[in-house]
């Protein structure tokens, strides 16, 4: 059975009663414990689990054996017995030994944050590329755990197998086979990357700017994407509602054509395996002309979410604090303003008015979306070249071409000649020169 095939125990997994715990480690908290627990619950709900209780533990000195202290582990075991819990979700990264020991001492099947996110990604991947990426990330994550438990089939886990039963997935016979499979996946992803590069090169030859939407998961990127493109990308109040990237043409004032890309939402502590495996997908962000960072502005941890997104963009090489001049233009959009009270909204409006790279919108109601599109057009136009051209008044095709693709600053008619001052990108000017002849002085 491949890592993406369902097992007969999977239905039980989706309805499992789960206990979610957040061990707050010293010096590592970017958001408050309540927000972390709420996010972990959202991740569990996204995979169809039944969260029966959430609990926060403060860990002063992490234990190499179980991460948590002995008394805390016993408390978890007691909660599990009292509430008839099937699954323990630890909102932190566990080593293979810590995961095994927690399972033995609590009597609960245990997965950590990385395993839970991989489980979600494994279920949501819809394209061949997405499935390759998830399988590679899964094998990278599981390699050590599988090897350590090699002689115990009841400890084997596969894609969708974090939550399933014993022996759910047939695994490779040894380390070499795992490495070989990972090598094959990397080669296939390199081919995907090459194909994507060819598509990107064609877009570069065509003078169409690329705008990438990024942001924390559930910030409203897909809702905004649908509003701008009239697409039907899944947009629900659910973490990781969008996984595979989507690109559509977008119409902007004064711009012939632009490409809008919707990407997977980020989370804090995004597993390193996924950052590496999804680099090919997120290359659309790396090569974008404009990056739009969509923020869930009413969220209690919106500032921490912003920091997490920016850090992931740095990890991907999109942002470089030492080379800010050679980076895509970054625009920050404060979404869901319809959920703000009047006082909060007024305070934020004052901040936005003082910053050219801040906008306030509601993708749900459409408020501010037209202003956002106009702002994008202005950003694209900043890189344009202004030229004055002379044409025959009868050359309607050339005049229509300029009006359709550029911004006309002035147009003066002198007998049978027309002098047009227009603003277009360098690529568009190149196209114009190839297609139309100008009147020489």
């Amino acid at each position: 059975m491949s890592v993406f095939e369902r097992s007969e125990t999977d239905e039980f997994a989706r309805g499992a009663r789960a206990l979610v715990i957040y061990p707050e480690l010293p010096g590592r908290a970017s958001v408050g414990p309540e927000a972390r627990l709420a996010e972990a619950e959202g991740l569990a709900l996204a995979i169809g689990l039944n969260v029966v209780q959430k609990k926060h533990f403060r860990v002063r000195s992490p234990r190499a054996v179980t991460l948590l202290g002995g008394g805390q582990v016993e408390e978890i075991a007691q909660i599990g017995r009292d509430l008839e819990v099937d699954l323990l979700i630890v909102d932190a990264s566990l080593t293979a030994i810590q995961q095994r020991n927690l399972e033995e001492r609590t009597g609960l099947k245990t997965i950590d944050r990385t395993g839970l996110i991989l489980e979600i990604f494994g279920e949501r991947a819809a394209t061949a590329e997405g499935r390759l990426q998830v399988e590679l990330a899964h094998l990278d994550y599981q390699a050590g755990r599988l090897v350590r438990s090699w002689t115990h089939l009841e400890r084997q886990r596969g894609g969708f197998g974090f939550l399933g039963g014993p022996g759910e997935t047939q695994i490779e016979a040894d380390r070499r086979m795992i490495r070989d499979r990972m090598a094959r996946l990397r080669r296939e992803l390199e081919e995907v990357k090459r194909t994507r590069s060819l598509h990107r090169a064609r877009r570069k030859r065509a003078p169409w700017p690329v705008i990438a939407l990024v942001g924390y998961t559930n910030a409203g990127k897909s809702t905004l994407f649908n509003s701008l493109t009239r697409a039907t990308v899944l947009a629900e109040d659910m973490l990781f509602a969008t996984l595979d990237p989507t690109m559509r043409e977008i119409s902007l004032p004064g711009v012939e054509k632009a490409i809008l890309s919707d990407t997977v939402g980020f989370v804090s502590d995004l597993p390193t395996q996924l950052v590496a495996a999804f680099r090919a997908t997120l290359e659309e962000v790396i090569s974008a002309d404009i990056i739009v960072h969509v923020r869930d502005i009413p969220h209690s941890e919106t500032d921490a979410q912003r920091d997490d997104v920016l850090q992931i963009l740095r990890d991907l090489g999109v942002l470089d604090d030492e080379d800010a001049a050679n980076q895509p233009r970054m625009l920050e959009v404060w979404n869901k303003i319809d959920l703000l009270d009047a006082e909060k909204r007024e305070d934020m409006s004052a901040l936005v008015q003082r910053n050219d790279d801040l906008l306030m919108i509601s993708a749900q109601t459409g408020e501010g979306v037209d202003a956002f599109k106009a702002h994008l057009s202005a950003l694209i136009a900043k890189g344009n070249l202004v030229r004055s051209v002379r044409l025959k008044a009868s050359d309607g095709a050339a005049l229509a071409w300029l009006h359709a693709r550029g911004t006309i600053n002035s147009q003066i008619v002198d007998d049978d000649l027309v002098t047009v001052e227009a603003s277009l990108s360098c690529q568009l000017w190149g196209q114009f020169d190839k297609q139309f002849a100008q009147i020489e002085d």
Side-chain angles (χ1 to χ4, degrees):
M1 182 187 297
S2 75
V3 294
F4 293 107
E5 291 175 354
R6 294 278 185 172
S7 77
E8 61 186 2
T9 61
D10 196 53
E11 289 303 316
F12 164 79
R14 290 194 61 83
R17 293 169 61 83
L19 166 63
V20 176
I21 68 165
Y22 169 55
E24 183 181 350
L25 304 177
R28 298 187 187 178
S30 59
V31 300
E34 290 185 4
R36 279 297 295 256
L37 281 172
E39 182 175 287
E41 181 182 24
L43 291 170
L45 294 174
I47 203 66
L49 298 175
N50 176 22
V51 178
V52 295
Q53 186 165 327
K54 301 175 293 182
K55 192 163 182 63
H56 161 235
F57 291 96
R58 183 171 284 105
V59 181
R60 293 186 175 84
S61 180
R63 304 284 184 88
V65 177
T66 55
L67 183 66
L68 300 156
Q72 294 171 329
V73 173
E74 180 53 40
E75 183 179 350
I76 292 169
Q78 187 61 50
I79 294 174
R81 290 189 292 269
D82 293 343
L83 299 181
E84 298 181 346
V85 171
D86 304 307
L87 179 69
L88 172 63
I89 298 174
V90 181
D91 190 28
S93 294
L94 297 174
T95 66
I97 292 174
Q98 289 170 342
Q99 180 178 348
R100 182 192 64 197
N101 289 336
L102 282 173
E103 288 184 338
E104 290 179 349
R105 300 186 186 189
T106 64
L108 301 172
K109 185 173 297 185
T110 301
I111 60 172
D112 64 359
R113 183 180 179 85
T114 301
L116 183 60
I117 292 175
L118 283 170
E119 182 77 11
I120 297 170
F121 274 48
E123 184 174 274
R124 299 283 170 76
T127 65
E129 178 187 3
R131 296 167 84 85
L132 287 173
Q133 291 165 330
V134 172
E135 185 177 357
L136 178 60
H138 156 70
L139 287 175
D140 185 30
Y141 170 72
Q142 283 294 332
R145 288 164 165 78
L146 289 168
V147 169
R148 287 183 176 88
S149 306
W150 208 251
T151 60
H152 305 285
L153 285 178
E154 71 275 10
R155 295 198 185 282
Q156 295 172 5
R157 294 178 171 82
F160 300 127
F162 301 110
L163 311 181
E168 181 179 1
T169 302
Q170 178 182 345
I171 61 173
E172 292 80 359
D174 53 27
R175 283 179 187 263
R176 180 182 58 78
M177 293 185 69
I178 290 180
R179 288 198 301 266
D180 289 347
R181 177 60 180 159
M182 292 177 70
R184 287 196 298 272
L185 289 172
R186 289 192 177 100
R187 286 195 296 271
E188 291 181 52
L189 280 171
E190 279 301 314
E191 182 62 25
V192 172
K193 180 179 178 181
R194 189 184 70 82
T195 303
R196 190 182 290 278
S197 298
L198 292 175
H199 292 166
R200 189 180 302 114
R202 283 198 291 270
R203 287 199 302 271
K204 286 295 183 183
R205 287 195 296 271
W208 302 327
V210 176
I211 304 161
L213 301 179
V214 301
Y216 211 82
T217 188
N218 216 26
K221 299 184 307 302
S222 295
T223 302
L224 177 59
F225 183 87
N226 290 339
S227 174
L228 294 172
T229 64
R230 295 186 175 88
T232 55
V233 172
L234 178 63
E236 294 186 5
D237 185 15
M238 178 173 61
L239 299 184
F240 294 124
T242 302
L243 178 56
D244 292 295
T246 307
M247 305 188 76
R248 294 286 189 276
E249 179 181 340
I250 179 177
S251 177
L252 295 173
V255 178
E256 178 198 13
K257 184 177 179 180
I259 304 297
L260 187 67
S261 174
D262 186 21
T263 60
V264 63
F266 299 151
V267 293
S268 60
D269 296 335
L270 188 69
T272 55
Q273 292 94 340
L274 284 179
V275 172
F278 278 77
R279 186 175 295 274
T281 300
L282 294 171
E283 279 179 352
E284 296 299 343
V285 179
I286 297 173
S287 64
D289 300 286
I290 300 172
I291 296 176
V292 178
H293 179 189
V294 182
R295 291 178 59 186
D296 180 357
I297 205 63
H299 197 282
S300 59
E301 299 289 346
T302 183
D303 291 334
Q305 291 180 353
R306 174 183 182 272
D307 293 342
D308 287 328
V309 170
L310 294 179
Q311 186 56 52
I312 292 172
L313 291 177
R314 292 187 188 100
D315 293 341
L316 290 168
V318 178
L319 299 183
D320 185 345
D321 294 336
E322 298 179 358
D323 191 20
N326 295 318
Q327 295 174 172
R329 184 67 182 266
M330 192 88 168
L331 180 64
E332 192 170 293
V333 173
W334 292 357
N335 190 26
K336 305 185 183 181
I337 59 173
D338 53 305
L339 302 181
L340 295 173
D341 59 46
E343 183 179 355
K344 186 75 170 177
R345 183 165 174 164
E346 185 176 348
D347 292 342
M348 290 188 171
S349 296
L351 290 173
V352 169
Q353 291 172 6
R354 296 195 296 267
N355 193 318
D356 292 336
D357 290 330
L358 284 180
L359 288 172
M360 292 175 61
I361 69 165
S362 170
Q364 187 68 41
T365 66
E367 182 181 356
V369 172
D370 288 341
F372 169 59
K373 293 170 67 174
H375 195 88
L376 287 177
S377 297
L379 287 179
I380 293 170
K382 280 187 177 181
N384 287 356
L385 177 66
V386 177
R387 281 175 51 185
S388 181
V389 298
R390 298 178 71 200
L391 304 166
K392 291 182 180 179
S394 59
D395 194 353
L399 289 170
W401 195 97
L402 289 172
H403 278 272
R405 291 164 175 78
T407 301
I408 307 301
N409 298 332
S410 66
Q411 181 170 309
I412 301 173
V413 179
D414 183 10
D415 293 331
D416 60 342
L417 296 179
V418 178
T419 302
V420 180
E421 185 181 88
S423 172
L424 290 123
S425 68
C426 293
Q427 294 96 328
L428 277 174
W429 277 123
Q431 284 190 9
F432 178 82
D433 291 337
K434 288 180 180 178
Q435 293 183 44
F436 304 103
Q438 302 179 45
I439 303 300
E440 301 293 337
D441 291 330

